[in-house]
Amino acid sequence: MLSNKDQVSIIIPVYNAEQSIELCLESIINQTYNNIEIILVNDGSTDNSKNICEIYAIKYDNIKLINQENSGPSAARNKGIEVSGGEYIQFVDSDDKVDINMTEKLVSGISDEIQLVICGYRRFYIESGIKRMINRIPSISGIKCKEEFIEVFGDYFEDWLINSPCNKLYISNIIKNEKCYFDSKISIGEDLLFNLKYINKCKNINIIKDVLYNYIALDNGSLTRSYQKDRFKNQKMLFTEVRKFLKENNSYHMQNKFIIDKMYSNSIILCFENIINLKNDLKYSDKINEIKNIIRDKSVENILENSSKNELPLQNRIMNILLKMKQPHGIYLYFIFKKFIRNYFQFIFRLIKKQIVKI
């Protein structure tokens, strides 16, 4: 039996993952770091996932299987935290893979004085029917005290290194003792809120440039392709929490403020795309009303007042003009035109798309 000292509990929520769970598990079982317990939380799968997990749990002594009714990934992760016995906690999604030395690298970066390790990751996705890959590598690395880390928080946030729990190693006692759990009432952005809570409990954070996690999104299930009700409400709440986090740490200013406001502006653009999505069955008039509600929102007005036109990407500047003119029909037509360009003039669309980070 492996000691809990230096043991890593790797928590994997599993829901209808029969196509990917074996590759995911093999990448963890073959880790160069041996002191691992693997916690599979089967979240009410209706496919063959449960049977696959049972086979692995029987074969390997360090695999623990928990079965529960479908409650969502946050509840599954919380259950995994509850039953975990390791000194450290790592999260992996069931459709992803990790590099063979990921856990070893993360553990080597943590200590009594370091409460969180963050690494880079790869994102595999499909664009225009073509499989693509992008690396998310920290632009600023090294060991930072919490104050230093938060001073450049915007850079990490813009690099998409903050949101996910899967490119990080946590200390179990901090999560449990400080009650840093996932909010199971939220379906989008709960990872970000979890990380903000945890970072607030850290003294020092180690950011390493190694790209160790493989996030695989090849099922065309992108959020930008499916209509999400209340998406703007959700994004507004998340960015409000980010600003609150920075203000409480006296760091919502200068570069942090510019980056957060720019990314909120990007998220508003994606909210408009969500409204005009073909899978949105609302009538035209209802879609216009949704756009109007966003235009009139005080948080959007504040972004417009504080934005510097010359520093924003082209698409954001176009959108700012339409927003300031209070033109919901113009916004609607802009995205219809953009969709037309995307469908029939891929080369031109890719040039336009470079103006905004969408991945």
Side-chain angles (χ1 to χ4, degrees):
M1 187 72 176
L2 292 172
S3 167
N4 286 3
K5 174 66 177 173
D6 296 327
Q7 186 182 63
V8 179
S9 299
I10 300 182
I11 298 169
I12 311 172
V14 180
Y15 177 72
N16 290 354
E18 63 180 5
Q19 301 298 322
S20 60
I21 187 60
E22 290 184 75
L23 288 175
C24 174
L25 280 170
E26 290 296 330
S27 75
I28 297 170
I29 290 165
N30 293 315
Q31 286 292 296
T32 55
Y33 190 82
N34 295 319
N35 196 356
I36 288 173
E37 72 163 351
I38 302 169
I39 302 172
L40 297 168
V41 183
N42 173 43
D43 191 38
S45 295
T46 57
D47 64 358
N48 199 40
S49 296
K50 180 182 177 182
N51 293 334
I52 295 171
C53 291
E54 286 175 343
I55 291 170
Y56 273 87
I58 292 169
K59 186 176 180 180
Y60 295 95
D61 292 337
N62 65 330
I63 295 181
K64 183 184 298 183
L65 174 61
I66 307 294
N67 291 303
Q68 65 179 32
E69 293 183 4
N70 181 246
S71 306
S74 290
R77 285 180 180 141
N78 288 339
K79 173 58 71 173
I81 293 168
E82 180 185 321
V83 303
S84 65
E87 185 175 0
Y88 308 117
I89 286 180
Q90 186 180 343
F91 297 100
V92 176
D93 287 343
S94 59
D95 47 0
D96 299 338
K97 295 189 295 183
V98 298
D99 283 9
I100 193 169
N101 62 342
M102 179 175 184
T103 301
E104 181 180 11
K105 286 270 190 179
L106 293 178
V107 172
S108 68
I110 207 161
S111 70
D112 291 339
E113 297 301 317
I114 297 170
Q115 293 77 39
L116 177 65
V117 184
I118 302 174
C119 69
Y121 65 93
R122 303 175 192 89
R123 188 178 193 274
F124 296 88
Y125 62 101
I126 292 178
E127 181 185 57
S128 306
I130 301 172
K131 290 183 180 180
R132 302 185 186 276
M133 186 270 288
I134 186 170
N135 284 327
R136 296 293 186 192
I137 304 173
S139 55
I140 304 170
S141 61
I143 298 171
K144 309 287 182 186
C145 69
K146 187 178 101 170
E147 291 74 21
E148 291 172 328
F149 178 85
I150 294 176
E151 276 298 310
V152 290
F153 177 90
D155 294 271
Y156 298 123
F157 194 68
E158 190 172 31
D159 288 341
W160 291 92
L161 295 167
I162 300 294
N163 297 52
S164 175
C166 296
N167 65 323
K168 300 173 178 69
L169 184 69
Y170 306 87
I171 293 178
S172 178
N173 281 342
I174 293 179
I175 294 177
K176 294 176 179 178
N177 295 341
E178 300 293 342
K179 302 189 185 306
C180 294
Y181 294 101
F182 294 86
D183 189 340
S184 58
K185 297 177 182 177
I186 301 173
S187 59
I188 301 173
E190 70 280 9
D191 298 345
L192 171 60
L193 300 183
F194 169 83
N195 283 322
L196 294 181
K197 284 188 289 186
Y198 187 90
I199 290 168
N200 255 337
K201 305 302 178 182
C202 294
K203 293 181 180 177
N204 295 290
I205 298 166
N206 190 2
I207 306 96
I208 60 176
K209 283 186 174 290
D210 301 74
V211 178
L212 302 171
Y213 190 86
N214 301 283
Y215 175 58
I216 301 170
L218 300 178
D219 61 355
N220 279 330
S222 168
L223 294 179
T224 58
R225 292 185 175 90
S226 57
Y227 172 66
Q228 295 172 301
K229 186 179 179 182
D230 296 328
R231 178 162 183 170
F232 173 70
K233 181 180 178 182
N234 172 268
Q235 291 299 296
K236 179 182 174 181
M237 178 274 293
L238 292 177
F239 278 89
T240 298
E241 289 299 317
V242 171
R243 290 192 187 93
K244 178 182 175 183
F245 167 82
L246 290 173
K247 287 176 181 177
E248 288 175 348
N249 288 282
N250 301 313
S251 293
Y252 184 55
H253 51 72
M254 300 174 66
Q255 186 71 353
N256 273 347
K257 185 178 187 305
F258 172 75
I259 291 174
I260 300 306
D261 288 357
K262 181 180 70 173
M263 293 192 71
Y264 186 40
S265 178
N266 288 345
S267 78
I268 292 167
I269 290 173
L270 296 180
C271 288
F272 287 137
E273 288 191 342
N274 178 61
I275 292 169
I276 297 160
N277 194 301
L278 290 174
K279 294 183 180 179
N280 182 355
D281 296 327
L282 290 176
K283 295 184 297 184
Y284 174 77
S285 59
D286 292 329
K287 291 180 181 180
I288 293 298
N289 284 333
E290 283 200 11
I291 294 173
K292 285 180 179 178
N293 289 335
I294 295 176
I295 291 174
R296 294 167 180 165
D297 192 274
K298 189 66 178 176
S299 66
V300 175
E301 292 180 357
N302 290 339
I303 290 293
L304 294 176
E305 290 173 5
N306 299 326
S307 64
S308 175
K309 294 180 182 179
N310 295 329
E311 295 180 355
L312 289 173
L314 174 61
Q315 182 168 206
N316 299 64
R317 297 203 299 269
I318 293 171
M319 195 52 49
N320 279 4
I321 292 170
L322 293 171
L323 286 168
K324 286 182 178 179
M325 294 174 65
K326 307 286 187 184
Q327 286 292 326
H329 298 281
I331 291 170
Y332 185 92
L333 290 174
Y334 170 81
F335 284 104
I336 291 296
F337 174 73
K338 182 180 173 183
K339 189 173 294 184
F340 175 80
I341 294 294
R342 178 190 295 169
N343 292 337
Y344 296 102
F345 300 95
Q346 284 293 328
F347 174 73
I348 297 174
F349 174 69
R350 279 195 286 272
L351 289 178
I352 295 174
K353 188 174 180 181
K354 286 181 181 179
Q355 302 297 326
I356 177 173
V357 177
K358 295 188 63 176
I359 296 168

